[in-house]
Amino acid sequence: MTTLAEQDSVNLPEELLSVLLHDLRSPLGAVSVLVELLSTVSKDETMAIDPRQLLLLQEASVKAQRMLDDAVEIQSVVRGSSTFSFAPTKLSSLVGVCLEKARQALYFQDVDVTYDYTESAGQEVTIDVEKAEIAILCVLEQAVAHTPRPISLKIHQSVEAHYVNLHIVNETIALTNAGELVAAPIRQAIPLRGRLGSRRVGESRYSFQVARKVMGLMGGNIEQQPDQNGSAIVMKFPIAPG
């Protein structure tokens, strides 16, 4: 049987290539058209350059560069050669920042969040804060994907040997075709497409597979586990020494 890690190692490079071929087409196409236009204008002194066209060229160029930068980062994650800046960090503080950003994103509308971190609020973890933030935002989105609104999300922390666990539980109840009440499912269905080059507040640049890979490289993990109150994703962060 193929494990999730084995699936990730096969799917991530293919997904990355698919995204580049699909998402780079638009900005690079715009750049090509506008470069040709500017070339024509430069030869005809009677023609004025439309500021809107110049703005479109600038935006397309910036987006293409961001996409390439993100693709390079994700490729290094896939290869296991990504550079990490580890630091001891209070997990509850980082989660609080992520929730504030997530509330500004479209996917988090009509989501009621309860965050209980009293059990392990003082426990520090060793992580790359920037990469961990992007991974947490990805998991928050994953936890509420394809779920009927409004959504009830419960988040709490627990401590086990070597790890602080962040439990993200979707307690939303949905009706099956037979009219039975069941916990809303959590699906591994968030692709990279449309994410590269994005810098919108509250949205992650990682797919769920990339987030799992990043957590693994930081010495942690992401697991999907059954929960008595709903569908749960558990993020495991390594405890800071000392």
Side-chain angles (χ1 to χ4, degrees):
M1 179 179 293
T2 304
T3 65
L4 284 176
E6 290 170 339
Q7 291 176 7
D8 287 351
S9 65
V10 173
N11 293 337
L12 282 174
E14 295 180 357
E15 184 181 13
L16 184 60
L17 178 60
S18 174
V19 169
L20 290 176
L21 292 175
H22 181 273
D23 285 4
L24 273 177
R25 188 177 306 163
S26 175
L28 292 183
V31 170
S32 298
V33 170
L34 290 171
V35 166
E36 183 177 351
L37 174 63
L38 290 174
S39 177
T40 302
V41 170
S42 66
K43 297 176 183 178
D44 188 347
E45 296 180 356
T46 65
M47 295 180 64
I49 298 177
D50 189 338
R52 294 173 298 178
Q53 294 174 332
L54 289 176
L55 179 61
L56 179 61
L57 173 61
Q58 182 183 28
E59 291 176 346
S61 177
V62 169
K63 181 178 180 181
Q65 186 59 54
R66 284 176 173 174
M67 290 180 66
L68 289 174
D69 291 343
D70 289 350
V72 169
E73 176 193 352
I74 290 174
Q75 183 66 29
S76 68
V77 169
V78 172
R79 293 175 175 175
S81 59
S82 182
T83 301
F84 289 81
S85 299
F86 290 102
T89 305
K90 187 177 293 186
L91 183 58
S92 57
S93 298
L94 178 58
V95 174
V97 169
C98 291
L99 287 174
E100 286 301 315
K101 291 184 176 182
R103 289 187 178 98
Q104 301 180 54
L106 289 176
Y107 76 87
F108 221 66
Q109 292 182 352
D110 298 322
V111 177
D112 179 40
V113 180
T114 302
Y115 179 31
D116 178 13
Y117 54 86
T118 56
E119 181 179 352
S120 55
Q123 187 69 63
E124 291 188 331
V125 295
T126 302
I127 53 174
D128 181 305
V129 175
E130 181 180 358
K131 289 183 172 64
E133 178 180 306
I134 300 173
I136 291 172
L137 288 174
C138 174
V139 172
L140 288 174
E141 182 175 356
Q142 180 72 34
V144 301
H146 313 295
T147 302
R149 307 300 170 115
I151 294 172
S152 176
L153 202 65
K154 183 176 181 180
I155 303 174
H156 66 279
Q157 293 177 200
S158 65
V159 178
E160 63 172 298
H162 311 300
Y163 296 103
V164 175
N165 296 334
L166 185 68
H167 303 257
I168 301 175
V169 184
N170 187 335
E171 295 186 326
T172 305
I173 300 299
L175 285 174
T176 65
N177 291 334
E180 299 174 343
L181 292 175
V182 296
I186 293 176
R187 306 172 185 174
Q188 279 187 263
I190 295 183
L192 279 173
R193 181 165 293 176
R195 295 176 176 276
L196 296 189
S198 172
R199 293 292 187 276
R200 289 184 292 270
V201 176
E203 296 182 354
S204 175
R205 301 196 308 274
Y206 294 162
S207 68
F208 190 61
Q209 291 83 0
V210 174
R212 290 188 67 252
K213 184 73 173 181
V214 168
M215 287 295 294
L217 292 173
M218 288 194 297
N221 195 13
I222 298 178
E223 301 175 354
Q224 290 184 297
Q225 298 180 353
D227 185 274
Q228 61 181 358
N229 297 317
S231 303
I233 300 178
V234 180
M235 304 183 73
K236 304 172 75 69
F237 296 87
I239 292 177

